[in-house]
Amino acid sequence: MKTLVINCGSSSIKYQLLTMPSSKVLAKGMVARIGDENATLSHEVEGDQLERELPVADHKAGMQIILQTLTEGDHKVVEKLSEIGAVGHRVVHGGEDFSSSVPITEEVSSAIERYADLAPLHNPPNLTGIRAAQSTLPDIPHVACFDTAFHATIPPVAYTYALPTELYEKYGVRRYGFHGTSHRYVAQRAAAILGIRDNDFNGITCHLGNGCSATAVRGGKSVDTSMGLTPLPGLVMGTRSGDIDPAILFFLESKGYDLAALNKLCNKQSGLLGVSGVSNDLRTLSEAASQGNQQAQLAIDIFAYRVKQYIGSYAAVLGRLDAVVFTGGIGENSAEVRASSCEELDLLGIHIDAQRNQSVGGPYAEIQASDSKVKVLVVATNEELAIAHDTFNVAQELTKR
Ligand code: ADP
């Protein structure tokens, strides 16, 4: 079955068309700058790239361009639209309502709309993408895959903030967690690499990209994660602060910062960018640090130190630890961050092999030293593939009904 995976942002639609269950990627690409006269389409088929600039009025027009590109012209991969059997949509926030991927009904759409309150930057464009895709492909199943779903198993002791209970009851203020599709995918891959069943796997998954989060996985289920009500807390990120003393915000308010300024400060101007004053991109920072920029080096050190703190904290939560798993652009590519995050963790039985850590390549690698009690894995994440699998499975279930 050909399965289309959609990840819709406020001005972009990323897509991938895969044949399932073989997981073959037929085409992938992105429409960016939606709403602009000079929007762009990038489309790739087996390494062959198509780049176009064109006006794209809205998300519906963007979807039509994607479907046209998949079915017409030199880069087409299907003869007709009816070959596409299902569409999987990445949705950021599913609140407490969804613990797995589900067919999108009117009720599901309403829930996504309701949770826009908690994810104002993400859920509205996700829903716009769903509506655009449903109107262009009305006769096939559309499936919602939530970033929060994998974390539905986190127990109250880990998701409850020590705030008055009425805030949870009235407004749903609690830890939800994000990047769930990636954490679940790499946890399952890690279990397969270790040769154990998913539900026997105890590990810490570290998704280190522009956004970063760590998850404690016990018996294949998420039991704690570093992001919270929103994606702001936890690890240091490209432009987000991660954990800070919340009273810093009250203090800055007394210095004249208003709410909008504080929001921008913590989400857009902090993290690697804020500390270094150079960039949110780790590659640029490593370059600057190697040329003697001390703030760039400090930013990288703080980043790795925080990852290490979470590894220690989640090791305590889990009790038994089979593996630490690194993924995401930084986790998969930065030997320096992996090495510093696992430095002097002998106490936990974690010991990296320097040579193996330097020569990581391919979809996964084991980088622990031979005397390490805990495996240390680098696993390339593939959220699109995980969404395609879920979508395929949900669509199969629907045909059985
Ligand atoms: P997103 O969260 O937007 O999907 P990615 O997972 O692509 O982001 O991660 C982006 C981060 O990965 C950037 O900080 C980038 O510098 C870093 N990165 C990508 N490739 C490398 C590399 N070869 N070495 C070090 N860092 C890298």
Side-chain angles (χ1 to χ4, degrees):
M1 186 177 89
K2 297 196 172 73
T3 304
L4 182 62
V5 174
I6 298 289
N7 181 357
C8 199
S10 57
S11 64
S12 69
I13 308 174
K14 289 190 195 142
Y15 63 93
Q16 238 182 64
L17 185 69
L18 302 94
T19 306
M20 298 306 292
S22 71
S23 311
K24 182 176 165 41
V25 178
L26 299 172
K28 61 182 172 184
M30 169 155 92
V31 177
R33 296 214 297 267
I34 292 174
D36 200 306
E37 272 301 300
N38 304 313
T40 55
L41 165 74
S42 335
H43 180 77
E44 186 185 323
V45 180
E46 289 180 355
D48 192 13
Q49 291 270 0
L50 168 74
E51 301 283 344
R52 274 174 65 197
E53 233 181 63
L54 71 182
V56 180
D58 54 22
H59 285 79
K60 187 163 179 196
M63 271 308 301
Q64 278 160 347
I65 286 159
I66 292 168
L67 295 176
Q68 214 172 12
T69 315
L70 291 168
T71 50
E72 294 171 18
D74 289 349
H75 292 76
K76 76 172 179 187
V77 284
V78 288
E79 287 302 324
K80 43 192 190 318
L81 280 186
S82 57
E83 286 178 41
I84 299 176
V87 186
H89 297 265
R90 177 179 183 199
V91 181
V92 165
H93 220 304
E96 289 186 322
D97 291 7
F98 304 101
S99 55
S100 61
S101 300
V102 293
I104 303 176
T105 58
E106 265 315 304
E107 269 179 356
V108 172
S109 295
S110 306
I112 296 170
E113 198 161 21
R114 203 163 57 245
Y115 288 121
D117 211 16
L118 295 172
L121 299 180
H122 295 101
N123 273 30
N126 293 162
L127 192 57
T128 306
I130 288 170
R131 297 217 161 111
Q134 280 179 325
S135 69
T136 32
L137 292 166
D139 301 322
I140 57 174
H142 289 253
V143 175
C145 305
F146 297 93
D147 266 22
T148 45
F150 182 55
H151 301 303
T153 45
I154 294 179
V157 69
Y159 75 60
T160 308
Y161 292 119
L163 290 167
T165 302
E166 68 179 73
L167 296 182
Y168 170 60
E169 291 166 351
K170 256 189 174 163
Y171 306 120
V173 173
R174 52 157 282 183
R175 181 188 305 283
Y176 291 96
F178 301 91
H179 288 145
T181 307
S182 175
H183 288 292
R184 174 172 56 117
Y185 177 81
V186 298
Q188 290 174 348
R189 292 278 298 128
I193 294 161
L194 300 188
I196 59 178
R197 291 183 319 185
D198 293 349
N199 53 12
D200 287 331
F201 176 75
N202 270 26
I204 299 167
T205 50
C206 305
H207 178 107
L208 312 179
N210 267 317
C212 302
S213 63
T215 295
V217 179
R218 181 189 289 125
K221 294 185 164 64
S222 170
V223 293
D224 204 350
T225 195
S226 59
M227 286 178 164
L229 174 77
T230 74
L232 182 57
L235 303 178
V236 175
M237 313 186 205
T239 61
R240 292 188 200 124
S241 62
D243 294 336
I244 56 166
D245 175 351
I248 292 171
L249 304 179
F250 317 141
F251 174 74
L252 290 177
E253 199 254 358
S254 76
K255 299 288 172 201
Y257 283 76
D258 65 12
L259 266 184
L262 291 171
N263 192 350
K264 191 170 169 196
L265 182 84
C266 294
N267 279 296
K268 304 265 184 221
Q269 299 171 327
S270 296
L272 294 174
L273 172 68
V275 177
S276 69
V278 173
S279 170
N280 64 321
D281 191 294
L282 188 80
R283 279 167 297 196
T284 313
L285 287 191
S286 297
E287 180 85 29
S290 69
Q291 287 164 7
N293 185 319
Q294 290 183 3
Q295 281 307 114
Q297 187 58 55
L298 181 63
I300 300 170
D301 292 345
I302 295 171
F303 183 95
Y305 181 72
R306 185 77 54 82
V307 175
K308 179 176 171 155
Q309 286 181 307
Y310 269 89
I311 292 174
S313 145
Y314 288 163
V317 165
L318 291 172
R320 191 197 89 223
L321 185 58
D322 300 322
V324 173
V325 186
F326 288 98
T327 193
I330 295 175
E332 291 167 36
N333 295 299
S334 173
E336 181 188 5
V337 164
R338 290 191 301 259
S340 321
S341 325
C342 292
E343 207 168 44
E344 293 173 0
L345 283 181
D346 300 325
L347 178 71
L348 301 179
I350 297 170
H351 194 185
I352 279 189
D353 179 278
Q355 185 65 40
R356 282 176 167 185
N357 184 35
Q358 285 296 339
S359 48
V360 165
Y364 76 90
E366 291 192 23
I367 59 167
Q368 74 280 354
S370 51
D371 63 349
S372 182
K373 291 201 190 82
V374 174
K375 303 267 186 197
V376 184
L377 306 177
V378 181
V379 177
T381 195
N382 193 337
E383 287 161 285
E384 291 77 13
L385 180 58
I387 293 172
H389 267 295
D390 283 7
T391 304
F392 175 71
N393 290 336
V394 169
Q396 294 287 98
E397 280 300 313
L398 288 174
T399 57
K400 282 189 208 149
R401 282 188 195 167

